[in-house]
Structure formats: structure tokens, C-alpha cells
Amino acid sequence: MNCAKLSKQLVWPIALLLMTLAFHGSAATQVESARIWPAPDHTRLVLDTGGQVEHNIFSLSGPARLVIDLKNANLKTDFSGLDLSGSPIKRIRSAPRNGTDLRVVLDLKADIKPRSFQLEPNQQYGHRLVVDLIDESGSRLEKATTPTVTQDSSGKRDVIVVIDAGHGGEDPGAIGPRGTREKDVVLKMAKTLANLINDRPGYTAKLTRTGDYYIGLRNRTILARKYNADLFVSVHADAFRTPQPKGASVFALSQRGATSETARWLANSENRSDLIGGAGGLSLDGRDDMLAGVLLDLSMTASINASLGVGSSVLGKLGGVAKLHKPGVEQAAFAVLKSPDIPSILVEAGFVSNPQEEKNLATEWYRNKLAGAIMKGIDDYFQKTPPPGTLLAWQKQNRQGGNSISHYRIQRGDTLSGVARKNQTTVSELMQFNDLRDDRVMVGQTIRIPAS
């Protein structure tokens, strides 16, 4: 066969190959659907795409807008169906651009800080372009409130427990064989636990998230610090590639995780001005590296020891209502456990990948049992080792002093000196015991009487 004939035979296959490559290279990426996840400090817009998409975002002012340009893409969904309530977005517009591209414009109520990234497919979703609208002003962020003071505590503060429901929003967490999503189970359980804690005198509970939205792992521990937490409890539900594993677990921070976190704090100069609240009451501001490192190591060691203590108490109570995956508190380098000053535990309520445990975790009665056990474990620990200045510490001090407490309701004609004589005590002791500024009492007032 001569060369000319061979060349003619090769022309069509090569041309067909080039046409195929050109077609695939020019095929537009579909924007198939969209979701909105409003959170207190940001709103997340998620675009479901047929694959990776090249994009660019930029902000405009007067009026406030965010422009999202997607290269070689077209729209196959309708933004008008999105619920924009609770978000800074007034309206979403879109139009083709440059023939093959897509421009999406968000009309905003106020200026925001944008951030975008792409996510790979997971159990529930395919390729996604994520755009976060961050509220830097903090106007929509739930403010950290002053810890509640129990009215009968004579001014003694409550123990603050921050409860963190794992995952949320675009991150469903583990998904069971029947479709049960970890993020839903743990949020319900966290709310139940918060109610149990708030119902117990001497305690106040705070939630890191109250709805279906995502909070960054570091931001969860930042919230705990803003609330001056005495304990941080992160609630999760485990999963495994096979359905056999089951049982609840409790984790504390590992020493490896503590070492890396200490290094991170020392490397970041901004942390030096952070007041380590929680149990430590320590500031790194103005300390040299060696002293700061020693102080952090001491604080981290104390935090881990306290975490192991409360974790062991919680695990013991969980063992009374559920099967345990391991007999002791496990340790790992989870990011949410890395507060150097706040005792922190992570509770795995069970395996949603196990059919029976998935069924149990989807029921209110079982979640209530687990939440009740966690509460009992927390209370048992703090009754033995209450933080200074709390109502629990004050009550323990009086118990250890050999005092039991009785109550007396002031009647017409009563005086504090008369009440003191009747109960074989002194006016000054009654004033101190009830935090009274003077010896005046009112009819109907209830006072505590220390009795030997």
C-alpha cells in the first residue's frame, strides 16, 4: 500500500477523533439545582453541578451584589423556588454570558465577605460549588450571653455546658442504610440534652447550632469560649463500612492532638491576646515562648485529665442504657476537642451504619435515654469536682462542712435575731449564709438555715 493511499485512510478516523474531543471539551457543565443554608454568622449557597466548574466571584457595592461567573456552564434549575428568608439575599438573577458562560448575581441586603470552594461527590450529593456569604459585622450572630445565675444561689454562677451537634447543612454526616442522617439525629439529641441540663438547678446549657446549618470545626470551640464553657460536649453518630459494629463511645483529646494544638497556639501570634477562659483563667499576652509553652502544656494536661474524668463518668452512665463499643474512654485528635482550657468530650451515640442502632437512634425514646444518661454522667462528675464560684461548689462546701440546709419562711413579727435564736445560730452567720447585706427581713421571704 502506497503512502498516499494510507494517508487518505487515516484522515477520517483522525478527523472523527478530533471532532469527538472538541465536542466533549466544549460540553457545558450543567447547574442542576441549588440550596440555601442560612446560619447565624453566614449563609451558604450550594450549586449542584454536573462536574468540576471553573468559576470566579467578586463583590459590587451601591447596591450590594455578589457576582458568580461560571465558565462553560448553563442553568438547568430555577432560583425563584429558593426560600431566601433568614439570608442576606434579596433576589438571585442569572443570564448567559459570552455565549457559553453563565453569570449568577445575588442582590444583597448588606455587604458580605464571600468565600467559594468546590466539593467532591458524597453519599448524598454530586459535584457542588459552595459560596459562603459571611456576616463580618456579626449582626446576625447569636451573641454569647452572660451565664445564667440561679436565683436561689446567693449569686453563685451556673456550670456552663456547651453542646455541639455535629455536621449540619450541606454536611449530612454518616447516612444509615434506611437513609437516617447523622446531622438530624444528633441535633435532636443535643436539644434534648440541653433541655435536661437547663432544667437542673446550677446548670446552663448552650448549643453551638440550633438548626440545620454547618459550623466550622474551629468555630465550634470558639463559641464554647465565648460562652465561658466549663464543659464542651460534641454529639455524633458513628458509621463503618460494614453493618456489624455497634455501641456508644466517648472520646477525649489524645496527647498527640494536644501537642499539635499547643504548637498551633504558639505559632499564631493572634492567640497571645486570647484570654484562656474556661477553667484556666490564663492569658498568654506578653509571655515569652518558653513560658507560654509551659503554661499551655499545664493547661492542656489539666484539660485532658478533666475530659477523661467527665468522659469516664458519662461512659459509665451510657453503659446502663446502651451497648458500649469500647469499655473505656478513647482518645483521638479530633479538632473539636482541642480547646487548651475547656474540658471537652465527643460522644458517639451509636452506629447509624448498624441497622438496629439506626432504627433506635431514629426514635425519640432511645435518644431521650441516651441524653438522660449523658446528663447523669455530667452531673455526677460536677457534683464531685464543681468549678470554683459555682452553685455546685457552694453546695459541696456546705455539705463538707457538716452542714445540712433547712429553709424558713419569714412570718409577721419575725426578726433575723429571733430566727437565729430559735435555730441556735447567729445573725452574722445567717447574713453570711444568705448573702444578706443587713439584718432586715420581709414577710414571705425564705431564708436558709444552716443546721449542724
Side-chain angles (χ1 to χ4, degrees), residues 149-166:
V149 176
T150 302
Q151 294 304 307
D152 284 344
S153 68
S154 301
K156 307 301 186 293
R157 73 173 182 86
D158 284 356
V159 172
I160 309 298
V161 182
V162 172
I163 306 162
D164 171 51

Side-chain angles (χ1 to χ4, degrees), residues 65-85:
R65 288 155 291 162
L66 180 69
V67 178
I68 309 168
D69 283 334
L70 295 90
K71 190 174 180 60
N72 197 22
N74 57 44
L75 187 65
K76 291 297 182 184
T77 188
D78 184 2
F79 290 128
S80 65
L82 289 176
D83 181 4
L84 303 179
S85 60

